[in-house]
């Protein structure tokens, strides 16, 4: 370690720490456990422990961040739900949970996975049953215009099955899902911010998707031992049609994804440069990489027919491997070497830099956008020259948020801290200025942060107000609720010189990534337009039962406190479709329809229409009832479905 680094390391309080090597990693899990200094109440029943640590600052100050009854939050926070497969909407600073948006999961509140409309979006097998029942949402990012959120869509990944979903921001409902071919473990995703060549397109038209797990490209069970031939793939999805436009074959793997402000580049950090199949192989190299994709060149290559297709997929796959890209001037991909097993790559709001954290190296690597473009022009000898800073910031650095005032905030998983570092100081220090001090503040969080993000920090309008730390463990922070603990989202005020922890919010497992958006950027509708639904039953007088052979359609309306039919009759063995339109126009007047023993449960919001289809295989009387409290006579709001034997 040279003098310059040593001095900064001392300032940063991490002088003894160097790159973690593979041997050290064998002890990683022990290290994680040791970081939680409170002993876990193991087999013994756990009572609420007395409040532990002294408050970081006066309680009166915490009150500043409370939202009084009847008051509205200043920000929305949109969050992925991890292995729940959903997304969530919170208010900040209150941390109140407003809504869970079903995406890849089933949800019997909304009827997601129950209604015909949602099944069509989720995808079905030939027999009409759902193709998948599971999902794993990690990263949620809205569409952009002019470098900031335009309030149209949010995009979220499904890591398990390699799917990308789109959520409409006016209704906060999932409207499209696409499954990426040739991809397993689809982890990072990010929309583009403008077109790389057409200046008129200053908004999102593409969504980039990083494939994490390398697999045989024709994954048919015939070539499973040829692990050196496993590949992972970077994909581009059209933001409107949600069809896969093109894919890029890469060496190593993709992890998180970021996009540039000028539309020219997308990037992904890579922790498995080694292309290993076992974890010790994945951390054998001292350096990994951050990959930059030249979007315009990739699209030219596709147009010119320089692609292949694999495994029955029709999507063009261009070659982004090092072997296929020896000349930077024609390269599609630039591999910038970064610290060992990085996790996370984030673009700074001024569009100049990308921070790619080490995870197994105590460093964040700062890469300059213009220098990557220079590499593509053939003006750099080595892609590593695009690196302009590499401050030592602490152990287990993962994700970085920016405040728009030149500071970066990185989560340190192993140190269980948020570290604030100054970008310009880090650049000066890297150039040899011994007086430059990149690390300016540290704050302990409880415990082990994964993602961290700032208010509007992924836009050019980063406002530097809040940082939210999504922690992976909560331990003693909340009342005990059995072996599965909630996670903690800790709200930190970053508006001053010192970070201030201002709230602990318990969150249901497991938010990975979120964004913080001022409320004025979100414009939702409270009532649907009945004409949006071609199958709407527009008048209670139109309620009826129509039969075509064994196919029966029940046309139904809801209007508090009645359904449009008091009873309807079908025959055993009929294929029954119920179409239900909610005729109520009043905001917040939602009805539900549940049918016992037929596994049907869904809601219809004001002026909305939904349908379900099922086989009437059980004769008898079935009370179809309203599930959503709508009226003083809500319990009386029910009809009989009569199934003749
Ligand atoms: S990951 S804790 Cu799935 Cu976003 Cu980094
Ligand atoms: Cu309608 Cu309750
Ligand atoms: Ca590695």
């Amino acid at each position: 370690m040279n003098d310059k680094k040593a001095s900064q390391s001392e300032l940063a309080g991490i002088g003894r720490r160097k790159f973690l090597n593979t041997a050290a990693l064998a002890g990683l899990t022990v290290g994680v456990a040791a970081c939680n200094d409170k002993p876990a109440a193991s087999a013994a029943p756990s009572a609420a422990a007395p409040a532990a640590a002294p408050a970081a600052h006066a309680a009166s100050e915490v009150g500043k961040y409370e939202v009084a009854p009847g008051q509205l939050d200043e920000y929305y926070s949109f969050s992925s739900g991890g292995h729940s497969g959903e997304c969530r909407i919170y208010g900040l600073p209150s941390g109140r949970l407003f809504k869970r948006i079903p995406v890849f999961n089933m949800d019997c509140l909304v009827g997601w996975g129950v209604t015909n409309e949602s099944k069509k979006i989720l995808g079905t097998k030939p027999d009409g049953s759902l193709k998948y029942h599971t999902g794993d949402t990690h990263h949620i990012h809205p569409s952009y215009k002019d470098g900031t959120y335009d309030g149209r869509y949010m995009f979220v990944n499904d890591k398990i099955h390699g799917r990308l979903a789109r959520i409409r921001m006016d209704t906060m409902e999932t409207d499209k899902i696409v499954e990426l071919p040739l991809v397993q473990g689809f982890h990072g995703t990010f929309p583009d911010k403008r077109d790389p060549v057409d200046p008129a397109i200053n908004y999102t038209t593409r969504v980039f998707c990083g494939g994490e797990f390398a697999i045989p490209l024709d994954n048919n069970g015939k070539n499973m031992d040829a692990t050196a031939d496993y590949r992972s793939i970077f994909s581009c999805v059209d933001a409107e049609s949600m069809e896969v436009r093109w894919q890029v074959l890469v060496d190593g793997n993709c992890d998180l994804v970021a996009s540039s402000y000028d539309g020219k580049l997308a990037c992904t950090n890579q922790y498995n440069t080694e292309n290993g199949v076992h974890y010790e192989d994945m951390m054998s190299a001292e350096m990994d990489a951050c990959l930059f994709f030249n979007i315009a060149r990739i699209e030219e290559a596709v147009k010119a027919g320089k692609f292949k297709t694999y495994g029955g997929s029709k999507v063009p796959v261009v070659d982004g491997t090092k072997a296929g890209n020896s000349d930077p001037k024609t390269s599609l991909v630039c591999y910038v070497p970064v610290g060992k097993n990085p996790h996370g790559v984030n673009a700074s709001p001024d569009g100049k830099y990308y921070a790619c954290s080490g995870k197994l190296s105590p460093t964040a690597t700062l890469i300059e956008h213009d220098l990557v473009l220079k590499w593509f022009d053939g003006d750099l000898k080595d892609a590593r020259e695009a690196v302009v800073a590499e401050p030592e910031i602490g152990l287990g650095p993962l994700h970085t948020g920016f405040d728009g005032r030149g500071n970066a905030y990185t989560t340190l998983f192993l140190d269980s801290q948020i570290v604030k570092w100054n970008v310009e100081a880090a650049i000066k220090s890297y150039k040899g200025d011994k007086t430059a001090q990149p690390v300016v503040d540290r704050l302990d969080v409880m415990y082990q942060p994964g993602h961290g993000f700032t208010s509007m920090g992924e836009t050019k309008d980063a406002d530097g107000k809040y940082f939210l730390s999504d922690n992976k463990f909560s331990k003693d922070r909340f009342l005990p609720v059995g072996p599965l603990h909630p996670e903690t989202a800790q709200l930190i005020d970053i508006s001053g010189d010192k970070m201030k922890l201002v709230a602990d919010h318990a969150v249901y497992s497991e938010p990975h990534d979120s964004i913080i958006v001022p409320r004025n950027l979100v414009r939702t509708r409270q009532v649907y337009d009945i004409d949006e639904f071609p199958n709407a039953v527009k008048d209670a007088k139109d309620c009826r039962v129509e039969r075509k052979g064994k196919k029966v359609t029940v046309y139904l309306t809801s209007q508090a406190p009645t359904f449009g039919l008091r009873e309807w009759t079908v025959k055993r063995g009929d294929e029954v479709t119920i179409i239900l339109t909610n005729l109520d126009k009043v905001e917040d007047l939602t009805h539900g329809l549940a049918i016992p023993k037929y596994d049907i449960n869904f809601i219809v919001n004001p002026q909305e229409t939904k349908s379900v289809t099922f086989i009437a295989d059980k004769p008898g009387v079935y009370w179809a009832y309203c599930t959503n409290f709508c009226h003083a006579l809500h319990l009386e709001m029910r009809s009989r479905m009569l199934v003749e034997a």
Side-chain angles (χ1 to χ4, degrees), residues 568 574-578 595 598 600 612-617 641:
W568 65 85
D574 283 345
E575 183 195 286
V576 180
T577 298
I578 299 175
I595 306 182
Y598 276 94
I600 284 163
V612 285
T613 298
F614 57 94
I615 303 293
D617 54 0
M641 177 168 82

Side-chain angles (χ1 to χ4, degrees), residues 253 270-276 279-289 339-342 360:
N253 75 331
Q270 168 171 103
Y271 63 79
N272 190 10
T273 298
E274 303 89 340
N275 217 4
Y279 85 100
E280 60 273 26
D281 305 329
M282 298 182 200
M283 49 189 190
S284 57
E286 271 315 304
M287 302 285 277
D288 282 287
K340 194 180 178 82
N341 284 44
L360 300 191

Side-chain angles (χ1 to χ4, degrees), residues 109-263:
L109 178 122
V110 171
W112 195 251
V114 177
T115 61
N116 294 331
E117 293 75 17
S118 61
K119 279 180 167 174
K120 199 171 162 213
I121 294 167
L122 280 160
T124 51
K125 295 179 192 167
D127 70 357
S129 63
L130 288 179
K131 187 172 179 192
Y132 306 111
H133 294 85
T134 54
D136 186 13
T137 54
H138 284 228
H139 302 106
I140 178 164
H141 298 288
S143 52
Y144 284 78
K145 185 172 186 184
D146 260 335
T148 194
Y149 301 139
D150 65 2
R152 278 187 304 153
Y153 300 125
M154 295 189 286
F155 301 93
V156 62
N157 73 309
D158 168 29
K159 177 162 170 169
I160 312 179
H161 307 300
R163 291 177 293 175
L164 180 75
R166 187 175 74 186
I167 296 167
R168 287 171 56 150
M169 286 185 79
D170 60 345
T171 57
M172 298 296 173
E173 288 169 350
T174 306
D175 81 332
K176 281 197 173 181
I177 291 177
V178 61
E179 187 169 342
L180 309 173
L182 314 173
V183 169
Q184 266 182 35
F186 159 30
H187 196 197
T189 190
F190 217 100
D192 72 355
K193 301 189 183 84
R194 58 189 312 137
D195 191 83
V197 288
D198 184 348
I201 304 175
N202 64 344
Y203 52 88
T204 293
T205 58
R206 304 168 181 78
V207 187
F208 304 114
C209 311
E212 187 176 353
F213 305 154
I215 49 170
L217 273 194
D218 218 349
N219 196 18
N220 53 14
K222 293 191 181 138
N223 42 8
M224 297 191 282
D225 294 328
T227 59
D229 297 337
Y230 289 13
R231 285 287 175 271
S232 54
I233 288 218
F234 185 82
S235 307
C236 173
V237 173
D238 188 286
E240 272 311 317
S241 70
M242 289 291 282
E243 278 164 18
V244 186
R245 281 199 193 178
W246 44 258
Q247 297 182 301
V248 186
L249 195 68
V250 300
D251 289 327
N253 75 331
C254 308
D255 188 20
L256 280 295
V257 172
S259 70
S260 72
Y261 279 83
D262 64 2

Side-chain angles (χ1 to χ4, degrees), residues 80 137-139 157 159 187-188 212 255-256 343-344 398-399 411 413 449-452 470 472 510-513:
S80 62
T137 54
H138 284 228
H139 302 106
N157 73 309
K159 177 162 170 169
H187 196 197
E212 187 176 353
D255 188 20
L256 280 295
H343 183 72
L398 300 181
H399 299 280
T411 54
F413 182 81
H451 271 277
D470 271 347
K472 299 300 188 192
E510 182 190 325
H512 281 250
D513 196 7

